[in-house]
Amino acid sequence: MTYKQEEQHPTKAVEEEEEGITPRASPKLQPSRSRRSSRYHRSPSLEDGSPDLFPTLSRVSTHDGPGISDQRPGYEPGDEIYHKFSHLRKVTIVTVLSFCSFLAPISSTSILAASPEVVKTFHTTGAIFGISNALYMVFMGLSALVYGPLGSTYGRKWPMTVAAITFTAFSIGTALAPNLASFFVFRLLTAFQGTCFLIVGGTVIGDIYRPIERGTAYGWFLSGTLIGPALGPFIGGIIVTYASWRDIFWLQTVLAGISTLGVIFLVPETIHRKRSDELSGLPRKQKVKKLWSWINPWRVIKLFRYPNVLVVGIAASSLVSNMYSLLTPIRYVLNPRFGLDSPLEGGLFYIAPGGGYLVGTFFGGRWADHIVKRYIRKRGGHRIPEDRLNSCIIAMGVVIPGCMITYGWSIEKRFGGIPLPVVCMFVQGVAQLFCFPSLNTYCLDVMQSQSSEVMAGNYVIRYVFAAAGTAACLPVIESIGVGWFSTISAAFVASAAAATWMTAKYGAEWRERVARHADDD
């Protein structure tokens, strides 16, 4: 297809861009650099709500770029769009978003240390309480289907602002819940709103950082996401030891209020182009039709026709389900094993994985970016999104499964005392921060024009698995023992690592094959 033909067939060109295919044009048909930077045309809007910019001239999506064209290391055509904010402003944005991403995950686990007290207050059972935690995860996954498309349609700032305000309000409702039903309802609403920070906030990283810088930035962003679940039970244990479990949610309310102020005053709009701008001047019926095509949750689900998106989602799910399966039963498993009685004593065990997540923050993202740069050099200046996945194979395939097996059987067979499981939890925490920046940043890189939806789909899968792990861990441990449960969990993660390696090797071919089939249809 010639350059002129591409202008006459914008739909096909955009489809190729969304599927992550490198534009195929001979050198004589490539426009000059000045033309690339100045020509940024619109094509007729697509019925499915896809972005309508010519991909060969894109200044936003630089994945699968043709090569490096600047003297700066890793520089790609179009990277000037990431210079909109200063380094200090970017650091401020990431800091605020990392704090916001701390909220929903910490809320998912902070109440675990107080589970017996909550059960006693509402005259229920531990099994029912476990269901509430599993449903919390389910609603975190469902939220992604809504906030992912909203973030692409209306921008990043206002969805996060609404989520921060409502998260604060629902935290107050949870603290004041008079009965079990209202406790359930406010907890689930809190989960739904809090996930917005993980989806939309993560997409902001892709808006403001170049591809070879995103791993490091995403590592810092994920620090809140992962440290929250680990430190939540420790904080909850301290509170419930000296005060009421309701004070856990009052603390959560205060933190949510601070995040609301941060989002409103410190986080600007970062999206390069809002789809909603195209609604101006359209008849109402056409507006409704186009808007529904943009915010329809099916936009997220249909992306799983790409094997690489599905595999990476399952890989992230194996890590999240493994994390929650490890954190959820600690008080029920380790307290009896070591003869501990108080919530505070059991909560101390959560410091180990939390410390691992914190240490991993300093290295995991940088390692992912280092691997990307290494492959750029190996390819003679060419980058593909799948290169990043090579950075997590060893941590996911060897370190985490080894830690899980050692942890489980040391408790089952009563060897190693307290230090061995603590060390295993710490090392596993570090290893997970060598995996998540790679997997999450891949979601931003692989389809930049649909990064919010790709990220949303990834979170849908991971929290469905997290819900299953949270609900099943205690019954399964009681049935087969913590040793075999940990072995099964380790096998799941190792299998996901093998699938991730296949994606790193063949993912680009899979994307092109799906794109060709879509063209045939």
Side-chain angles (χ1 to χ4, degrees):
M1 179 184 294
T2 66
Y3 181 78
K4 183 176 181 181
Q5 287 173 325
E6 285 184 334
E7 291 189 330
Q8 294 170 347
H9 298 82
T11 302
K12 179 177 177 59
V14 171
E15 288 174 351
E16 288 182 345
E17 166 68 2
E18 291 193 346
E19 316 310 356
I21 303 175
T22 305
R24 298 179 295 275
S26 62
K28 67 180 181 179
L29 297 177
Q30 291 287 351
S32 65
R33 179 173 178 84
S34 60
R35 188 178 183 182
R36 267 197 303 269
S37 61
S38 61
R39 296 199 55 181
Y40 195 57
H41 301 298
R42 293 189 180 275
S43 65
S45 299
L46 305 181
E47 288 298 320
D48 66 351
S50 302
D52 58 354
L53 302 179
F54 285 135
T56 54
L57 307 181
S58 173
R59 296 175 58 195
V60 178
S61 178
T62 59
H63 60 269
D64 282 4
I68 310 304
S69 62
D70 191 279
Q71 296 300 318
R72 284 170 286 180
Y75 189 86
E76 299 181 13
D79 276 3
E80 63 272 9
I81 201 166
Y82 301 114
H83 303 326
K84 180 178 179 181
F85 300 105
S86 67
H87 175 71
L88 179 60
R89 189 70 185 278
K90 291 179 181 180
V91 170
T92 302
I93 294 171
V94 172
T95 301
V96 172
L97 294 180
S98 180
F99 180 78
C100 292
S101 71
F102 177 80
L103 296 177
I106 195 176
S107 180
S108 69
T109 60
S110 59
I111 197 64
L112 294 179
S115 54
E117 288 75 16
V118 176
V119 166
K120 182 179 179 180
T121 298
F122 294 126
H123 308 290
T124 185
T125 65
I128 297 298
F129 178 80
I131 291 175
S132 73
N133 289 328
L135 288 175
Y136 188 96
M137 302 295 174
V138 170
F139 269 69
M140 288 183 75
L142 294 176
S143 172
L145 295 173
V146 175
Y147 276 113
L150 281 179
S152 294
T153 302
Y154 289 105
R156 323 301 191 198
K157 186 176 178 68
W158 87 254
M160 289 194 294
T161 302
V162 171
I165 294 172
T166 52
F167 186 94
T168 304
F170 296 143
S171 296
I172 295 174
T174 308
L176 297 174
N179 51 50
L180 185 62
S182 59
F183 178 80
F184 264 57
V185 170
F186 283 116
R187 283 273 288 159
L188 300 184
L189 290 174
T190 301
F192 194 90
Q193 301 304 323
T195 311
C196 173
F197 302 125
L198 310 182
I199 307 301
V200 182
T203 309
V204 169
I205 304 297
D207 292 340
I208 64 178
Y209 282 100
R210 296 162 57 204
I212 63 169
E213 300 169 335
R214 289 173 186 162
T216 302
Y218 219 109
W220 286 104
F221 171 73
L222 285 174
S223 63
T225 305
L226 297 177
I227 293 174
L231 293 187
F234 172 65
I235 297 173
I238 295 175
I239 292 175
V240 77
T241 299
Y242 300 105
S244 167
W245 63 264
R246 295 182 185 273
D247 292 320
I248 296 174
F249 294 102
W250 286 119
L251 174 62
Q252 178 179 300
T253 300
V254 173
L255 296 177
I258 295 173
S259 73
T260 301
L261 296 177
V263 169
I264 293 175
F265 295 108
L266 298 178
V267 178
E269 180 58 72
T270 62
I271 194 171
H272 301 303
R273 185 183 65 89
K274 292 188 287 187
R275 292 176 182 154
S276 58
D277 292 340
E278 299 178 22
L279 298 177
S280 178
L282 294 179
R284 177 176 297 180
K285 184 176 181 180
Q286 191 172 349
K287 280 185 180 180
V288 172
K289 182 180 179 181
K290 187 177 287 292
L291 183 60
W292 174 245
S293 72
W294 289 336
I295 65 174
N296 187 345
W298 181 247
R299 285 183 62 87
V300 175
I301 301 299
K302 71 179 182 180
L303 291 175
F304 293 131
R305 72 184 188 271
Y306 294 94
N308 51 323
V309 174
L310 180 60
V311 168
V312 170
I314 293 176
S317 301
S318 72
L319 296 172
V320 173
S321 63
N322 176 73
M323 178 178 69
Y324 280 98
S325 297
L326 175 71
L327 298 177
T328 300
I330 280 182
R331 188 172 175 185
Y332 292 93
V333 173
L334 296 184
N335 279 27
R337 164 69 176 83
F338 298 112
L340 307 177
D341 298 321
S342 73
L344 178 58
E345 291 175 325
L348 290 173
F349 281 102
Y350 291 93
I351 296 178
Y357 297 142
L358 181 60
V359 171
T361 297
F362 294 97
F363 305 104
R366 285 183 171 85
W367 173 250
D369 286 341
H370 169 73
I371 293 298
V372 171
K373 294 173 185 177
R374 178 194 296 178
Y375 275 86
I376 288 177
R377 291 192 295 268
K378 288 175 62 175
R379 298 181 188 279
H382 183 68
R383 178 184 61 85
I384 64 173
E386 283 74 20
D387 290 341
R388 185 179 296 278
L389 297 177
N390 291 288
S391 65
C392 67
I393 303 301
I394 295 178
M396 190 187 303
V398 178
V399 179
I400 293 176
C403 288
M404 278 303 295
I405 292 173
T406 305
Y407 167 85
W409 287 107
S410 69
I411 297 172
E412 180 84 12
K413 299 301 182 181
R414 295 178 175 269
F415 66 85
I418 290 179
L420 185 56
V422 167
V423 170
C424 288
M425 287 190 287
F426 175 82
V427 174
Q428 178 175 302
V430 174
Q432 288 206 355
L433 256 297
F434 275 78
C435 299
F436 278 119
S438 174
L439 298 173
N440 285 32
T441 309
Y442 176 76
C443 294
L444 299 178
D445 291 348
V446 69
M447 295 180 185
Q448 177 84 38
S449 59
Q450 292 181 280
S451 59
S452 188
E453 286 94 337
V454 176
M455 187 66 69
N458 190 276
Y459 274 91
V460 169
I461 297 183
R462 70 172 66 181
Y463 280 113
V464 168
F465 276 86
T470 300
C473 61
L474 281 176
V476 174
I477 288 173
E478 292 173 356
S479 176
I480 66 176
V482 66
W484 283 113
F485 174 78
S486 298
T487 302
I488 293 171
S489 180
F492 181 26
V493 177
S495 300
T500 302
W501 177 81
M502 293 290 290
T503 303
K505 190 173 182 63
Y506 303 109
E509 298 177 16
W510 296 347
R511 287 187 283 121
E512 293 184 5
R513 188 179 303 119
V514 173
R516 286 196 297 269
H517 291 165
D519 288 342
D520 293 340
D521 295 340

